[in-house]
Amino acid sequence: MKTGSHILIRSLDRGATIFLIVVAAIAIVVPILNLAVPELSVFHLPTYLVALFGKYACYALLALSIDLIWGYCGILSLGHGAFFALGGYAMGMYLMRQIGTRGVYADPILPDFMVFLNWKELPVYWYGFQFFPYAALMIFLVPGVLAFVFGWFAFRSRVTGVYLSIITQALTYALKLSFFRNNFGFGGNNGLTDFKDVLGFNVQAEATRNALFSISCIALILAFLLCRAIITSKFGKVLIAIRDAESRTRFLGYRVESYKLFVFTLSACMAGVAGALYVPQVGIINPSEFEPGNSIEAVIWVAVGGRGTLIGAALGAVVVNYAKTYFTSGILAPYWLFLLGSLFIAVTLLLPRGIVGTLRHWTALRRDRASAAAEDGVREPLPAE
């Protein structure tokens, strides 16, 4: 325990500590402002904002999973939306099994869409999802196994760069087409919805929504700590070496494929958790979550916030999605995709390190100038001078 605590403490710098404190404070303050503050007060936070912030927390967790493989290992996945959606479907299947006789057709076992399609019995792969521990295991296992199998063949074949990105995108599109089919038992194009309870609590209740938001923030904190522990360890240094010079790292005797396979599988599991927390907060999961555009948009979050910074990835997810919420609710709604593309181009040309990466670079340059001036015995001039 002491060794594990020492590793976590050692992995945290000032910026990481501030980030964790801010997220923890938000996880506490938001439910208080929603539940404890009277609705007539200017400090009251509406319930719809709690759900919106919960979505942002899930997106930030997804962005962390992408930054772990892209920012620190050089694996650009354009299909991480598939792992996000698979985790969401695993949670959706659990939530559907909790409806029971409260559905439209009042069937105690079959979900409404199966009754409507004249299904006579529950498919085998739906067994066990009435139990939360089994569903929680599937949230990790399904995206993890898919990522492991995919990565096993891709990395052993030394598929890298743009070719790997295209293959991950093709995988996502294939899953989208599969889940659209009604005979696959996942609700077809309508997906899974009309959820009632999660762990016995009404998903529409304010207290439940606040609890889900706080759990999403806690999951974001835990994922951030895990990523920090990895990238600041010897394992993380090998990942960075793979990113910067894969062939040289291989020639030094490291099993590059094993490192990439591990971190890719872990990243997929993190994306699955993000999807699972996302579903009860939005109330639906359907094949549109497999859209390749969603995965590309998630990569843009990381690029905007700052690839290889973790904090920047989470910040980019919040900033871009807030902009999406703002611009898609007015006269600029039809032009959102153009705005998103322009944002990505502007960041690539003007801020290639992203928001956080650029701030860190400027801070480092200023520190170096101050250090050089101190060594020369010359005081650095103040901005006013």
Side-chain angles (χ1 to χ4, degrees):
M1 289 293 292
K2 291 183 178 180
T3 303
S5 300
H6 177 68
I7 293 174
L8 286 177
I9 294 174
R10 188 179 60 186
S11 69
L12 299 178
D13 56 16
R14 182 181 178 183
T17 303
I18 293 175
F19 173 79
L20 292 174
I21 292 174
V22 170
V23 175
I26 291 174
I28 296 172
V29 172
V30 167
I32 291 176
L33 294 180
N34 177 249
L35 297 174
V37 177
E39 292 186 8
L40 298 178
S41 173
V42 295
F43 297 104
H44 175 75
L45 194 70
T47 302
Y48 79 90
L49 285 180
V50 177
L52 184 64
F53 294 160
K55 287 173 55 179
Y56 290 169
C58 296
Y59 290 150
L61 178 53
L62 174 60
L64 277 183
S65 71
I66 295 175
D67 195 27
L68 179 62
I69 58 171
W70 185 33
Y72 294 96
C73 196
I75 303 172
L76 176 55
S77 170
L78 296 181
H80 249 53
F83 306 126
F84 179 86
L86 288 173
Y89 265 97
M91 174 59 79
M93 293 166 74
Y94 162 75
L95 295 173
M96 292 297 290
R97 293 299 308 272
Q98 302 307 300
I99 296 176
T101 56
R102 291 173 293 177
V104 175
Y105 297 100
D107 192 293
I109 298 178
L110 296 180
D112 283 338
F113 72 89
M114 291 187 184
V115 178
F116 178 78
L117 295 173
N118 294 320
W119 288 53
K120 302 304 180 183
E121 59 183 18
L122 194 70
V124 174
Y125 45 85
W126 276 77
Y127 290 176
F129 276 96
Q130 69 270 31
F131 305 113
F132 182 77
Y134 178 82
L137 177 62
M138 291 299 105
I139 288 169
F140 287 95
L141 196 60
V142 174
V145 169
L146 177 62
F148 182 85
V149 173
F150 174 85
W152 174 267
F153 289 104
F155 299 140
R156 282 175 61 89
S157 301
R158 299 190 181 180
V159 179
T160 58
V162 65
Y163 302 103
L164 180 65
S165 300
I166 292 173
I167 293 175
T168 56
Q169 196 171 40
L171 172 67
T172 303
Y173 190 69
L175 287 171
K176 173 193 169 184
L177 295 179
S178 299
F179 276 73
F180 256 120
R181 301 181 60 176
N182 284 323
N183 57 353
F184 266 50
F186 296 108
N189 62 324
N190 294 320
L192 309 178
T193 188
D194 194 30
F195 308 133
K196 307 296 185 183
D197 296 335
V198 54
L199 291 174
F201 298 96
N202 184 355
V203 294
Q204 300 298 329
E206 290 187 351
T208 305
R209 289 184 174 275
N210 282 277
L212 289 169
F213 166 75
S214 296
I215 292 172
S216 300
C217 291
I218 293 172
L220 178 60
I221 290 173
L222 294 177
F224 182 83
L225 288 172
L226 176 61
C227 291
R228 286 288 304 182
I230 289 174
I231 65 175
T232 56
S233 65
K234 293 180 180 179
F235 184 91
K237 290 179 172 59
V238 176
L239 293 181
I240 295 174
I242 294 172
R243 178 196 68 189
D244 295 339
E246 181 173 334
S247 298
R248 186 177 300 178
T249 307
R250 182 178 287 108
F251 292 151
L252 289 173
Y254 290 98
R255 296 180 61 87
V256 171
E257 293 77 15
S258 299
Y259 281 87
K260 294 172 72 172
L261 181 61
F262 173 80
V263 75
F264 187 72
T265 303
L266 175 62
S267 175
C269 292
M270 290 171 55
V273 173
L277 292 171
Y278 172 84
V279 168
Q281 297 185 80
V282 300
I284 188 172
I285 178 70
N286 58 40
S288 65
E289 296 298 335
F290 287 101
E291 284 284 355
N294 293 344
S295 299
I296 296 173
E297 187 175 327
V299 170
I300 294 177
W301 305 341
V302 179
V304 170
R307 172 191 173 195
T309 62
L310 292 182
I311 296 175
L315 178 64
V318 175
V319 169
V320 175
N321 279 285
Y322 173 78
K324 183 177 181 178
T325 301
Y326 181 81
F327 286 113
T328 56
S329 58
I331 59 175
L332 295 176
Y335 309 103
W336 162 245
L337 291 179
F338 296 99
L339 292 172
L340 182 63
S342 301
L343 175 64
F344 183 60
I345 294 172
V347 168
T348 302
L349 296 177
L350 304 177
L351 298 175
R353 295 181 177 87
I355 297 173
V356 173
T358 300
L359 292 175
R360 287 182 175 179
H361 179 65
W362 288 347
T363 302
L365 288 178
R366 184 173 179 81
R367 189 185 302 115
D368 291 342
R369 286 198 299 266
S371 178
E375 291 178 0
D376 293 339
V378 179
R379 180 177 63 87
E380 184 181 14
L382 296 174
E385 301 176 346

